[in-house]
């Protein structure tokens, strides 16, 4: 699982609960984009669904509106202090992968197409079982999953001309199988939103001036210089923060990050009083400043539950279309600013950190977290790029345009295998990099 976070993951986390009032639907937040490919392998695997790429440069607005906590400096998430919240976040990501692969699997199964493997993860097998000539496995590298077909497996006893091999099916049947993963994620996203509206309700937000400090890390610069949990930051260096707004947190973060080893004057609201505190941010390894706090918009939330089934569908539909439009807009911004967002790609460690922060602060936020990841996965996967579902669909469109004549197998295999290899190498690199960027790891180094 790979994620492209053009902003820090904690900003995405805030998107998962801090929602605007229902009267303001559809939401104006921008959401991350997820990326998970489909590919060809040399032998038994016809296509492999792999990593989720998740970008959060469109996340700037989205993130500001989501979950109310963020840590300054690196991937400093208190959620990693709670094994339960980490497991909950990992379970969400695993469920998304399983749903996507199940879409491919059942689309093939219901058409009578032979399937040989269903895997979550890549690489060495951790656990497996076989039933009805299908191997189900859990694998060591958490970069996605795949459904395998025996079309080009030299060890398979299925004749090469069997009509129930995927490669021998009409183009429409193959389109259904390849696109079913995307469709499954879209449907799953709607079901999640529907369940949230029905059982939890949607949060309504009331904004107050300043930026809230929910937590101060012991022995941090903030703790050393007198900042307390529950304080509200009202101004920095004699400049008042704008009264309210989703951008306030990022304004404070930017000042802190740009002021390593430089005294910053904080105007603080503490109960009925306003006080001034001078804090000198510590310097990160990357040269940015950090003070060791969590920040959140200064908001209060209430839950609004629908009055009847009609309102459940109405709220769910508006929320679903709002999130979908934000995903598309975020994707557009990614390509328009690719040179800036490319360096902000992050992997599964960052995504789990975000999900863990969501789960730790408010389990209800996992609904939004899961829905957003599903929609991003669906949108990115349909792009006509090698190693994506959309890449496989592009080959089918070329085949249809050629009157049913396929591209040479060697050419198609080379293109798709190169795409998968690039994504896997990138995924492993990001796993290592994101792990090293965790503050808990930095403190040990």
């Amino acid at each position: 699982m790979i994620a492209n976070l053009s902003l820090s993951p904690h900003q995405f986390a805030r998107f998962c609960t801090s929602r605007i009032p229902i009267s303001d639907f559809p939401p104006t937040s921008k959401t991350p984009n997820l990326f998970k490919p489909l590919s060809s392998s040399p032998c038994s695997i016809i296509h492999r669904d792999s990593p989720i790429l998740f970008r959060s440069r469109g996340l700037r607005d989205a993130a500001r509106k989501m979950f109310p906590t963020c840590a300054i400096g690196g991937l400093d998430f208190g959620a990693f202090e709670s094994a339960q919240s980490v497991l909950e976040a990992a379970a969400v990501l695993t469920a998304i992968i399983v749903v996507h692969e199940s879409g491919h699997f059942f689309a093939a199964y219901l058409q009578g197409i032979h399937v040989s493997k269903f895997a979550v993860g890549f690489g060495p097998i951790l656990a497996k079982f076989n039933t009805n000539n299908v191997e189900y496995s859990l694998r060591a590298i958490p970069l996605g999953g795949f459904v395998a077909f025996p079309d080009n497996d030299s060890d398979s006893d299925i004749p090469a001309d069997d009509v129930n091999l995927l490669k021998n099916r009409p183009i429409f049947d193959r389109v259904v199988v390849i696109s079913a993963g995307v469709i499954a994620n879209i449907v799953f996203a709607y079901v999640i939103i529907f369940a949230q509206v029905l059982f939890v309700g949607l949060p309504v937000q009331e904004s107050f001036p300043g930026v809230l400090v929910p937590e101060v890390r012991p022995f941090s610069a903030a703790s050393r210089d007198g900042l307390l949990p529950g304080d509200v930051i009202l101004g920095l260096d004699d400049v008042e923060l704008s009264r309210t707004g989703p951008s306030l947190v990022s304004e404070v973060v930017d000042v802190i990050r740009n002021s390593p080893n430089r005294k910053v004057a904080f105007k603080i609201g503490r109960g009925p009083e306003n006080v001034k505190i001078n804090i000198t941010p510590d310097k990160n390894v990357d040269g940015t400043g950090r003070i060791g706090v969590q920040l959140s918009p200064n908001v209060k939330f209430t839950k609004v539950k629908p009055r009847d089934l009609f309102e459940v569908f109405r709220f769910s539909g508006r929320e679903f279309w709002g999130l979908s439009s934000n995903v598309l807009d975020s994707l557009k911004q990614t390509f328009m600013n690719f040179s800036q967002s490319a360096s902000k790609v992050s992997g599964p460690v960052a995504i789990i950190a975000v999900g863990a922060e969501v789960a730790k602060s408010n389990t209800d936020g996992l609904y939004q977290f899961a829905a957003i990841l599903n929609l991003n996965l669906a949108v990115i996967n349909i792009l006509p790029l090698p190693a994506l579902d959309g890449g496989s669909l592009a080959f089918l469109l070329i085949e249809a345009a050629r009157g049913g004549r396929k591209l040479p197998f060697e050419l198609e295999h080379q293109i798709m295998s190169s795409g998968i290899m690039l994504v896997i190498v990138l995924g492993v690199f990001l796993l290592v990099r994101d792990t090293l960027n965790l503050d808990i790891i930095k403190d040990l180094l």
Side-chain angles (χ1 to χ4, degrees), residues 4 6 33-35 53 55 57-58 327-342 379-385 388:
N4 171 359
S6 359
N33 288 326
L34 288 166
F35 181 91
L53 276 188
R55 99 173 247 293
R57 161 157 203 172
V327 168
L328 293 172
D329 183 62
S330 180
L331 175 63
K332 181 182 73 173
Q333 295 299 322
T334 297
F335 282 102
M336 291 176 63
N337 301 279
F338 185 76
S339 61
Q340 299 177 10
S341 59
V379 170
I380 293 298
N381 246 300
I382 207 65
L383 295 176
L385 301 174
L388 295 177

Side-chain angles (χ1 to χ4, degrees), residues 46-257:
I46 292 299
H47 57 82
R48 242 173 219 187
D49 298 326
S50 113
I52 294 177
L53 276 188
F54 149 3
R55 99 173 247 293
S56 113
R57 161 157 203 172
L59 275 188
R60 185 168 296 268
D61 293 335
R64 293 172 190 146
K65 288 194 178 192
M66 281 297 246
F67 209 74
T69 59
C70 86
I72 304 304
L75 296 178
D76 180 16
F77 297 114
F80 273 105
E81 299 169 5
S82 168
Q84 179 180 352
S85 62
V86 173
L87 290 175
E88 288 173 351
V92 169
L93 295 180
T94 301
I96 291 171
I97 294 170
V98 170
V99 165
H100 186 94
E101 303 308 334
S102 295
H104 293 306
F105 178 84
F106 285 110
Y109 178 81
L110 294 175
Q111 295 184 86
I113 296 172
H114 296 301
V115 178
S116 58
K117 296 180 181 180
F118 183 107
V120 176
F122 295 109
I125 295 175
L126 302 178
K128 71 174 182 177
F129 67 92
N130 290 272
T131 181
N132 297 327
N133 297 318
V134 179
E135 176 190 278
Y136 299 87
S137 62
L138 177 66
R139 302 189 177 224
I141 303 175
L143 295 179
F146 64 87
V147 172
F149 300 87
D151 294 39
N152 299 294
D153 186 354
S154 58
D155 296 328
S156 174
D157 57 2
I158 300 174
D161 59 352
D162 191 310
V163 295
N164 288 324
L165 289 174
L166 180 64
K167 66 181 181 180
N168 296 331
R169 282 303 188 97
I171 291 177
F172 179 78
D173 292 355
R174 284 179 279 157
V175 167
V176 170
V177 172
I178 293 171
S179 60
V182 168
I183 295 171
N185 283 122
I186 293 174
V187 172
F188 190 36
Y190 181 82
V191 169
I192 291 169
I193 293 171
F194 186 90
Q196 180 190 25
V197 172
L198 181 63
F199 298 114
V200 179
L202 290 180
V204 175
Q205 153 185 322
E206 183 180 3
S207 298
F208 296 88
V211 172
L212 182 64
V213 182
E215 182 178 337
V216 178
R217 293 185 64 189
F219 311 110
S220 64
S223 174
R224 181 176 65 241
D225 293 333
L227 195 64
L228 301 176
D231 284 349
V232 176
I233 301 172
L234 300 174
L236 298 168
D237 287 334
D238 297 324
V239 176
E240 297 282 336
L241 296 178
S242 53
R243 185 168 177 79
T244 61
S247 65
L248 292 186
V249 172
S250 63
E251 290 178 18
V252 175
V253 170
D254 288 343
V255 171
I256 294 170
R257 289 178 62 84

Side-chain angles (χ1 to χ4, degrees), residues 415-432:
I415 294 173
M416 297 299 281
S417 295
S418 298
I420 274 291
M421 181 59 64
L422 177 63
V423 169
I424 290 178
V425 170
L426 176 62
V428 172
F429 166 76
L430 293 174
L431 277 172
V432 175

